[in-house]
Amino acid sequence: MPQPLVHSASRTDEAAVLDALGHRSLVLVGMMGAGKSSVGRKLAARLALPFVDADTEIETAAGMTIPEIFETRGEPEFRSGEARVIARLLDGGPQVLATGGGAYMNAGTRELIGRKGVSVWLKADFDILLRRIRRRTDRPLMRNADPEGTLKKLIEERYPVYAQADVTIESRDVSHEIMVNEVVRALLAHFSARESVTP
Ligand code: S3P
């Protein structure tokens, strides 16, 4: 009988993550294109937690799409709305919360995530991000003459800050299932190293 290609994390691992998480949120951070929403959705399903996408919540609260918010109100107003919405969402744990790429750059948001969540940085390299970002046109920061240069600059500015997240996972072109297994295992390792977790 052929062996399954994907070895999933065991049930016990998932129960241990949920136990250690308590009422906190698992907060996915990282660049646009890193897979925060797609991996986050699968991770939530695996842990039987609600999935919440901060960008979608911002759009609902504003009654506009993100490109429309950038266009009519400008980025600073988008950023303050983003911080407010995430602060509210962080009271809704346990859940998996995917944040927009710029959210973790806000010091107040980072501090709140540190208190009310456990942060997971999905770290993808430049080529993967560029390929994924090029497929879509709904990211205002990339609607300019030099998306490559913009992406490089954002990586330089943001990666040292994303590196403050509790857990870092390399986001690659592998199945979401493999990514979710890695996140679960990395969370377990994080909890057993820094917090109490029952194996
Ligand atoms: C942004 C990322 C987007 C969205 C907005 C700004 C950023 O979210 O919040 O376009 O500053 O990186 P995703 O990371 O989900 O694409």
Side-chain angles (χ1 to χ4, degrees):
M1 193 127 146
Q3 290 297 306
L5 289 176
V6 175
H7 298 279
S8 48
S10 72
R11 279 262 132 240
T12 324
D13 288 350
E14 286 130 23
V17 166
L18 287 172
D19 259 11
L21 186 65
H23 291 290
R24 291 177 294 175
S25 302
L26 285 175
V27 184
L28 298 178
V29 306
M31 282 292 289
M32 39 199 145
K36 299 177 300 269
S37 300
S38 45
V39 173
R41 203 167 274 119
K42 302 273 180 193
L43 176 65
R46 172 75 70 84
L47 296 171
L49 288 176
F51 172 75
V52 184
D53 190 306
D55 282 347
T56 309
E57 295 290 325
I58 293 163
E59 290 183 326
T60 306
M64 275 187 259
T65 65
I66 288 177
E68 284 167 353
I69 303 172
F70 269 74
E71 222 168 276
T72 61
R73 300 189 185 162
E75 183 172 351
E77 210 169 308
F78 168 76
R79 294 297 174 199
S80 51
E82 177 176 51
R84 274 197 309 277
V85 166
I86 292 175
R88 166 174 60 79
L89 294 175
L90 281 169
D91 284 329
Q95 65 194 336
V96 176
L97 172 61
T99 60
Y104 198 66
M105 299 304 292
N106 178 304
T109 299
R110 263 199 318 281
E111 191 269 327
L112 268 185
I113 291 174
R115 276 198 289 124
K116 300 186 176 184
V118 176
S119 46
V120 178
W121 174 21
L122 291 187
K123 180 182 185 186
D125 69 24
F126 176 82
D127 294 334
I128 288 187
L129 292 174
L130 190 64
R131 196 163 3 101
R132 293 183 186 166
I133 286 168
R134 278 200 169 130
R135 284 192 220 133
R136 284 174 39 181
T137 56
D138 58 348
R139 288 177 166 125
L141 293 183
M142 291 296 151
R143 285 179 173 175
N144 59 54
D146 182 19
E148 286 196 37
T150 307
L151 181 60
K152 260 193 199 109
K153 189 167 157 280
L154 287 175
I155 285 178
E156 274 164 28
E157 282 168 13
R158 291 179 176 184
Y159 277 26
V161 178
Y162 292 154
Q164 296 175 36
D166 295 310
V167 167
T168 298
I169 301 289
E170 297 283 339
S171 170
R172 308 170 320 278
D173 279 330
V174 296
S175 73
H176 290 145
E177 194 178 355
I178 291 178
M179 292 299 305
V180 167
N181 290 340
E182 287 188 17
V183 175
V184 169
R185 293 210 181 92
L187 284 169
L188 266 187
H190 166 77
F191 287 133
S192 24
R194 291 190 187 77
E195 304 177 15
S196 65
V197 62
T198 324

